[in-house]
Amino acid sequence: MAPFKVIIVGGGPAGLITGHCLAKAAIDFDILESRDKHDLNAGASNALWPQSVRVFDQLGLLEEATKLHSPVDYRQSLTPEGTPFYKSDVFKQTRAQHGHSFMLFHRAELLDLLDRRLPDRASRVHNNKKVTSIETHEHGVKVVCADGSSFQGSMVIGADGANSTVRRLMEEKSTQKPKKEPMETTYVGLYGSCPLLPTFEAGTFYETHGPKFSLQLGVGHTRGYFVIYHRLDKPTTGRHRFSVEEKTALAAEYADRYITPDHRFKDIWDIALWSHMAHIEEGLVEKWYGGRIVLVGDNVHKMMPNAGFGFNSAVISAAALTNGLRRLVLDKSDSAGIRTDELTQVFATYEKIRKPDARKFVDVSAAYARAVAWDNFVFRFVDRYIGPYIRMDIILLKGLMSPLVRQGLVLDFLEEKDFKEGNVKWKNPKQTLAQVETSGGGGAKTADDQSA
């Protein structure tokens, strides 16, 4: 029987961060990615909140991530006519609350970092592998791809996005079918990047608030990252691949809306370096696992990206799942013989730990997106007139967001070299080598230990 091995389906940010966690836990894995390669020009922005920064520190990725990220201090809110109505230091306050900064990245650069730094990347990442079926047996799985290739392992982690093939295949095997489609789309997003213009203020995140829409522009080192959030006439659970003509039409609809005090949207659309239009699904899947299959990331908790919590939720889920798998493997003298019921227990604990917080982040993200899109008269009045006066975003940061951020899980077997704490104490304290040896598995070897 082959040693314990994980098959990760999906080589995007969620799949790669899961691979990094497993590598540190000395758990073998393969990653199956349907695309040929990552486009280093593609993507708008990704962000790390402080709880995810802690995990990046544990994984040895923080130093390079710090060099890549674009510091953000302020959020500038605008009306569609370009009138600034509130400049907030909410990102500075985030650092004061939690020690670590809110870190903004070009998505492609963050993805490249995760890809390049993955241990044994050449032998573990397999491109052009579109999964078509998953066969399970008493002690493992067989994942079959469209090109006829197959991969053997002990279990499957689905990290292939909101419209997940793995989730569909898992549900087809289940005797308990979902009562309804878990993901619903109320907004579509038009994402893109553009060259920096002289009037873009470094360290500023611009946000235009308007009826049934919002615009965002983050200022990076070498380019700006923009998004249009456009509300549909009614929600849908259907899928749709937008054409170039549809993308162009939506850009034209917002051409004269201001995205900074000095620039209409058409000013940056005309010089866009990359763009993409897609449904923005929202939802929380009821069942996160089945048999030898378990899900992470957008597969199970997909949220509006306005507040930047999507990838961060995937980071914490990857850490939680890895902690459980590592303990299971360590407890077995023969990891190849791990039974399905033993895996199910780990999966159930992972879901129990993560689902309540994931639900909160889905709900918070939904509420924020609708507030800045003036979804009703109350949202519009509060956002435009009351919020700036009482600094409501700072009140919400301290009273709502920080209590959620402080609960972020970390890997319980790796120390933190750049631990930081602000006004709010972390629920999970600093991980030190001594603490890991006494509470993280009795000093069992990690990947770092074995290579020493």
Side-chain angles (χ1 to χ4, degrees):
M1 222 181 297
F4 188 83
K5 186 172 189 176
V6 177
I7 307 296
I8 301 172
V9 180
L16 289 171
I17 198 68
T18 302
H20 277 275
C21 292
L22 293 176
K24 286 293 186 180
I27 296 175
D28 194 16
F29 64 93
D30 280 326
I31 295 179
L32 309 184
E33 168 55 41
S34 62
R35 291 167 293 186
D36 175 44
K37 61 181 179 180
H38 298 304
D39 182 354
L40 296 184
N41 187 51
S45 63
N46 264 128
L48 291 183
W49 281 78
Q51 72 273 32
S52 298
V53 175
R54 294 184 68 189
V55 177
F56 266 59
D57 179 19
Q58 291 183 295
L59 295 173
L61 299 171
L62 183 55
E63 182 177 354
E64 189 169 352
T66 300
K67 295 176 182 177
L68 288 175
H69 93 290
S70 301
V72 183
D73 290 326
Y74 300 100
R75 181 172 60 219
Q76 176 66 73
S77 300
L78 315 168
T79 68
E81 296 75 33
T83 303
F85 67 88
Y86 181 40
K87 188 171 185 177
S88 167
D89 65 345
V90 65
F91 298 111
K92 278 188 173 182
Q93 293 291 330
T94 299
R95 183 167 61 248
Q97 288 288 96
H98 300 290
H100 287 295
S101 297
F102 176 93
M103 302 174 72
L104 182 70
F105 298 87
H106 181 202
R107 184 182 185 277
E109 291 184 344
L110 182 61
L111 188 61
D112 180 58
L113 167 64
L114 294 173
D115 191 44
R116 282 188 293 102
R117 294 287 303 278
L118 187 71
D120 300 319
R121 186 247 182 255
S123 62
R124 282 173 159 165
V125 178
H126 309 273
N127 293 96
N128 295 312
K129 299 300 177 183
K130 182 176 176 60
V131 172
T132 56
S133 67
I134 300 174
E135 302 170 13
T136 60
H137 51 84
E138 184 178 359
H139 293 294
V141 297
K142 178 182 178 181
V143 181
V144 181
C145 302
D147 62 0
S149 61
S150 63
F151 295 81
Q152 302 280 350
S154 306
M155 57 170 283
V156 172
I157 295 178
D160 52 339
N163 298 316
S164 168
T165 297
V166 175
R167 189 178 74 234
R168 175 179 57 79
L169 294 172
M170 184 188 81
E171 291 171 349
E172 288 176 357
K173 295 177 182 293
S174 175
T175 57
Q176 295 181 331
K177 306 298 182 185
K179 296 178 181 179
K180 63 177 183 177
E181 172 59 42
M183 302 293 177
E184 184 176 81
T185 298
T186 303
Y187 289 83
V188 297
L190 177 54
Y191 307 86
S193 62
C194 66
L196 296 179
L197 295 176
T199 55
F200 290 179
E201 185 178 334
T204 299
F205 196 86
Y206 297 96
E207 191 170 65
T208 301
H209 302 185
K212 311 300 182 185
F213 76 90
S214 63
L215 312 178
Q216 290 181 330
L217 175 71
V219 180
H221 287 303
T222 60
R223 62 177 73 193
Y225 317 111
F226 64 82
V227 189
I228 294 176
Y229 301 100
H230 170 80
R231 186 179 176 92
L232 298 173
D233 292 334
K234 60 180 181 179
T236 179
T237 56
R239 301 177 185 178
H240 181 68
R241 186 179 294 274
F242 291 95
S243 66
V244 173
E245 292 75 19
E246 288 173 303
K247 183 173 67 173
T248 302
L250 186 65
E253 183 177 340
Y254 288 92
D256 289 325
R257 306 292 191 181
Y258 279 82
I259 195 166
T260 77
D262 303 292
H263 296 286
R264 293 178 170 88
F265 180 72
K266 63 182 179 183
D267 297 332
I268 65 168
W269 180 252
D270 289 343
I271 58 172
L273 301 169
W274 172 89
S275 64
H276 178 67
M277 184 175 174
H279 278 172
I280 305 175
E281 301 88 356
E282 297 176 85
L284 187 73
V285 173
E286 185 59 32
K287 192 71 170 176
W288 292 23
Y289 62 93
R292 288 179 170 266
I293 302 173
V294 66
L295 309 174
V296 299
D298 287 351
N299 290 27
V300 284
H301 41 61
K302 183 68 164 62
M303 57 202 73
M304 287 295 294
N306 303 62
F309 281 122
F311 175 58
N312 291 270
S313 295
V315 172
I316 304 306
S317 287
L321 180 58
T322 300
N323 287 341
L325 289 174
R326 178 176 177 271
R327 285 191 289 270
L328 175 62
V329 172
L330 287 175
D331 286 343
K332 300 291 288 186
S333 58
D334 177 17
S335 64
I338 290 176
R339 303 186 310 271
T340 300
D341 65 298
E342 293 174 309
L343 281 173
T344 297
Q345 187 173 357
V346 171
F347 298 164
T349 300
Y350 153 68
E351 180 186 302
K352 183 178 180 180
I353 290 171
R354 286 292 299 132
K355 186 182 282 185
D357 281 351
R359 188 184 306 276
K360 291 173 185 176
F361 279 118
V362 169
D363 292 344
V364 166
S365 298
Y368 179 75
R370 286 154 177 79
V372 299
W374 296 349
D375 212 41
N376 55 47
F377 173 78
V378 174
F379 277 149
R380 179 173 185 166
F381 183 78
V382 170
D383 178 68
R384 182 70 177 83
Y385 300 105
I386 297 178
Y389 180 74
I390 64 173
R391 300 187 76 203
M392 181 173 287
D393 62 334
I394 306 301
I395 293 174
L396 292 175
L397 170 68
K398 295 181 177 180
L400 178 63
M401 309 294 263
S402 283
L404 291 176
V405 169
R406 72 173 290 271
Q407 296 186 78
L409 288 166
V410 292
L411 293 160
D412 61 15
F413 56 93
L414 293 176
E415 63 178 329
E416 292 175 75
K417 297 179 180 179
D418 191 26
F419 177 80
K420 293 180 181 178
E421 194 167 53
N423 300 328
V424 177
K425 304 300 180 184
W426 293 106
K427 180 179 179 180
N428 295 283
K430 177 182 180 180
Q431 299 297 293
T432 64
L433 188 58
Q435 182 176 355
V436 167
E437 289 175 345
T438 57
S439 65
K445 289 186 177 181
T446 67
D448 287 343
D449 298 324
Q450 292 177 344
S451 63

